[in-house]
Amino acid sequence: MADKSITLQKPKDTPSPAHGEAQQATVYKILLAISFVHLFNDSIQSVIPAIFPILKDNLFLTFTQIGWISFAINFTSSIIQPVIGYAADRRPTPILLPIGMCFTFAGVFILAYAHTYVLVLFAVVLIGLGSATFHPEGMRVAHMAAGMRKGLSQSIFQVGGNAGQSLAPLLTRYIFVPFGQFGAIGFTFVAAAGILVQSYVAYWYHGMLKAGYTFKKRAAGRMLDPARRKSIRNATLVLVVLVFIRSWYGAAISSYYAFYLMDAYQIKLDNAQIYIFLFLASGAIGTFFGGPLADRFGRRNMIMFSMIGTAPIALILPFVSPFWAAVLLVIGGFVLLSSFSVTVVYAQMLHPGNIGTVSGLITGFAFGMGGIGSLVLGNLGDAWGIGNVMISIGFLPLLGLLALLLPGDDKLDEWSRE
């Protein structure tokens, strides 16, 4: 096998068939390309929460109906992502990358013209399908282009997505407030650009597969002893629960905190969106720095710190002045999302060789649970009042103590090598 890998003719950034991950250099042009597409994809997804206040007024919606819209896009993405990831692990399909963005293009086009609640739901389902198609294969591309720098590659990939999500409040302030729902039509150009970039990435992806790239598999994966298998399963379950908690709190802030500011402080809609932007933008920065910080302080420690560190901020946020709310949102966003890329890498190390499946589960579950959280919180907002909801969700990050049940980094490294 060694002789074969030496004599095979291939580009310098294409790995040998048997040792793709070990010998390949980090391909930054592909990482940046897939990160920009992640930004395109998630900025379009961010159109949905950004347009909530406009849809609420145009279609006379309740908080519960807004919750169903959020549920539709997020749950669609959640259901489909692990399925596509599982299929991609067994038969990689590069063409899915531009196809997924075509779904997104159709969804955002329909959303711009949708004047009924049902049509809005249909549009956001299409956008959700586009996102579900992109993320598992996008994760595989990021993993493939990373070489030995898996943490850095995930930070680059994920920061694009979180940066795109952070644009939602600015979209509300500068597009949907002045132009209304029809302002969504401009994002068809973003989707079109995404299709072009995805086509380039898919071409590179196809070339890598044709050259013989293979993902690392767990040696004798089916021969794991029952105790090890149980430990990995339990660690995966804990990780999924932590993603659930983080997603619920993030959904509460991004979808409903603007309504809380408008109700409690009589802040106008366009000004309220600045607070949400501060939270999401600092979260994008936290996502980027989370990987290097995890390398320094440990993956499990970083996951636990991101949750527990958010708890005191979440608990006092509903009771502070608007100025201090802005300060706390900046700190809280950075801390909460500093574990975003770390969580993905941790899951990939638990299940080497199943990059698409695991990535689809973690990121898909994040979106899906955020959608369920939005639905539940919307119902609670109608029943209890949005202020009481904001106070209640402040206790969620305390459940980050569950991270103590995760295996330490030494044990995780040992498992991933075997």
Side-chain angles (χ1 to χ4, degrees), residues 47-189:
V47 167
I48 308 306
I51 210 172
F52 280 168
I54 306 302
L55 293 175
K56 190 175 188 296
D57 290 339
N58 288 353
L59 302 179
F60 305 102
L61 304 181
T62 65
F63 283 122
T64 300
Q65 289 174 308
I66 289 174
W68 276 110
I69 295 173
S70 181
F71 176 83
I73 184 172
N74 292 323
F75 194 69
T76 301
S77 179
S78 175
I79 291 296
I80 301 299
Q81 275 197 51
V83 175
I84 293 176
Y86 179 84
D89 284 334
R90 279 137 191 85
R91 185 176 181 180
T93 311
I95 193 64
L96 286 178
L97 290 169
I99 287 177
M101 193 60 70
C102 289
F103 277 111
T104 301
F105 180 96
V108 76
F109 181 84
I110 293 171
L111 181 63
Y113 292 96
H115 295 298
T116 67
Y117 182 56
V118 172
L119 200 55
V120 168
L121 288 174
F122 177 65
V124 301
V125 165
L126 286 177
I127 296 173
L129 287 173
S131 179
T133 305
F134 164 71
H135 280 94
E137 286 287 20
M139 288 277 196
R140 286 170 62 84
V141 169
H143 189 90
M144 182 182 287
M148 296 298 292
R149 309 196 69 178
K150 304 303 182 188
L152 176 63
S153 74
Q154 278 300 318
S155 291
I156 293 173
F157 177 71
Q158 297 294 351
V159 76
N162 286 347
Q165 292 174 27
S166 73
L167 296 177
L170 297 185
L171 300 180
T172 302
R173 181 183 176 95
Y174 295 112
I175 295 180
F176 296 120
V177 168
F179 298 106
Q181 185 177 336
F182 185 72
I185 196 67
F187 292 90
T188 57
F189 296 99

Side-chain angles (χ1 to χ4, degrees), residues 145-304:
M148 296 298 292
R149 309 196 69 178
K150 304 303 182 188
L152 176 63
S153 74
Q154 278 300 318
S155 291
I156 293 173
F157 177 71
Q158 297 294 351
V159 76
N162 286 347
Q165 292 174 27
S166 73
L167 296 177
L170 297 185
L171 300 180
T172 302
R173 181 183 176 95
Y174 295 112
I175 295 180
F176 296 120
V177 168
F179 298 106
Q181 185 177 336
F182 185 72
I185 196 67
F187 292 90
T188 57
F189 296 99
V190 178
I195 293 171
L196 293 175
V197 179
Q198 289 286 62
S199 298
Y200 165 73
V201 172
Y203 177 79
W204 177 85
Y205 184 1
H206 175 75
M208 292 286 284
L209 295 175
K210 190 175 180 180
Y213 184 97
T214 56
F215 286 89
K216 176 183 176 181
K217 299 289 185 181
R218 186 188 299 278
R222 295 185 180 181
M223 301 301 292
L224 288 176
D225 64 86
R228 173 73 59 82
R229 191 182 300 275
K230 181 179 179 180
S231 295
I232 292 174
R233 184 177 64 247
N234 290 342
T236 304
L237 178 61
V238 170
L239 205 61
V240 166
V241 170
L242 291 172
V243 169
F244 177 96
I245 295 165
R246 186 182 65 202
S247 299
W248 268 51
Y249 185 75
I253 298 298
S254 61
S255 295
Y256 297 106
Y257 190 68
F259 293 110
Y260 172 74
L261 290 172
M262 294 162 66
D263 180 62
Y265 300 109
Q266 288 72 54
I267 295 176
K268 293 182 179 180
L269 171 61
D270 53 350
N271 291 327
Q273 295 302 316
I274 297 298
Y275 289 79
I276 312 304
F277 171 73
L278 292 174
F279 175 80
L280 296 175
S282 64
I285 297 172
T287 297
F288 181 78
F289 284 102
L293 288 172
D295 291 339
R296 174 67 177 84
F297 298 105
R299 301 180 194 90
R300 185 183 70 171
N301 291 341
M302 198 66 203
I303 292 171
M304 183 167 62

